[in-house]
Amino acid sequence: MYSGYITDIEGIKVGHSQSEKGMTGCTAVICEEGATTGVDVRGSAPGTRETDLLKPEKVVDKVHAILLSGGSAFGLDAASGVMKYLEEQNIGFDVGVTKVPIVSSAVIFDLNIGDYKIRPNFDMGYFATENAIKEENRQGNIGCGMGATVGKILGPENSMKSGIGSASMNIGELWVGAIIAVNSFGDVYDYETNSILAGTYDYKKGKLLNSYEIMKNKKKTIGFSMKNTTIGVVATNAILSKAEANKLAQMAQNGLARSINPIHTMYDGDTIFAMATGKIKADINIVGTLSSEVVSRAIANGILYANSYKDILSYKDIKNDNNC
């Protein structure tokens, strides 16, 4: 398991809220002072909120929170709870009569795991933000990772349980961290060994399959269309412009490409946000390259920390069988 957590970046807090019955939840990444933020959406089936304002030419230059949520499009409602709590704390963009918290969000599809009628809502978003702390370091079946699964080319009955993972690394005073909800259509690999960790699983034979090989042999995708998506946040203490923050989000997506295959398909809504707290000077090329590695580490942790749910096995329960 890889070390560190996104809260190693000064000024970043994380809070989770979830429902065991619904097997869903949300994760709030908070920067009370505001962070220069960019976004990169690579998948073709995204569910997002407040991403247009992150373009370099838009007037708002600071974001106060990113919410990663389950519940598919229903889960976007939880961001309103994040806004409510932050407004109560007088955090946000000053418009005179009040301060408007800037909250961006992205969602994963997890409606098929637990009770689909239970989704992240206003109250769950509020609770996650209210409980956001610097010391939060839980991973796996928590927050937005509660209902995450991977490897769905043959449908949900051949998928495996995943979760939310985080990691961080530094070069001197420069820190980069990531938190990723791993809910991919494709299989997940350890980026250092290129060995498969989790993905499409043959429950009858007790072995991992290879989604890419299945795709090539069948010449079409036959599984769980438009019900996936890997989303996350990369944070750094570097001083970045808004354009550089968007570039950071783009470079961070390389971590997804290195760790998940297939990736960025028509069935994924892969979205990465990048937050820069603006504490030290740093070269965007170095920050971006670190971000791709830390994203890969976080993805691996999302698999390694996950627990099985009912008949959906996790890495912990199949790790002695890595045939594929």
Side-chain angles (χ1 to χ4, degrees), residues 92-273:
F93 182 74
D94 194 342
V95 294
V97 294
T98 187
K99 289 186 178 179
V100 180
I102 307 301
V103 180
S104 299
S105 181
V107 296
I108 67 170
F109 182 94
D110 57 4
L111 298 177
N112 61 305
I113 303 300
D115 183 346
Y116 75 93
K117 295 182 180 179
I118 298 175
R119 305 107 179 210
N121 56 14
F122 181 99
D123 291 338
M124 200 177 285
Y126 186 98
F127 183 81
T129 312
E130 182 181 33
N131 288 276
I133 57 173
K134 178 70 176 174
E135 296 77 19
E136 179 60 76
N137 61 6
R138 289 174 290 174
Q139 301 182 71
N141 296 19
I142 191 78
C144 187
M146 197 71 178
T149 54
V150 297
K152 303 167 204 174
I153 193 169
L154 297 180
E157 63 273 15
N158 289 97
S159 66
M160 284 182 60
K161 188 69 183 73
S162 55
I164 198 164
S166 189
S168 68
M169 59 191 304
N170 71 295
I171 298 178
E173 295 182 344
L174 172 64
W175 280 87
V176 181
I179 186 167
I180 307 291
V182 189
N183 192 59
S184 58
F185 175 74
D187 305 325
V188 178
Y189 292 78
D190 185 305
Y191 81 103
E192 289 185 332
T193 65
N194 201 35
S195 59
I196 190 169
L197 296 175
T200 305
Y201 193 72
D202 188 330
Y203 282 88
K204 291 182 179 180
K205 295 181 179 180
K207 63 180 294 185
L208 277 162
L209 305 177
N210 186 306
S211 293
Y212 179 50
E213 294 300 322
I214 293 171
M215 184 181 291
K216 288 194 296 183
N217 291 335
K218 293 188 176 294
K219 298 182 177 60
K220 65 177 182 178
T221 51
I222 60 175
F224 212 19
S225 64
M226 299 183 70
K227 299 174 181 177
N228 310 287
T229 296
T230 296
I231 59 176
V233 179
V234 170
T236 179
N237 63 347
I239 300 170
L240 299 179
S241 67
K242 205 170 176 184
E244 288 174 326
N246 277 277
K247 183 61 179 179
L248 176 59
Q250 291 176 10
M251 295 181 74
Q253 288 271 14
N254 294 334
L256 270 69
R258 180 162 48 194
S259 297
I260 301 172
N261 190 36
I263 189 65
H264 303 147
T265 71
M266 297 297 291
Y267 311 128
D268 292 294
D270 306 316
T271 301
I272 297 292
F273 296 94

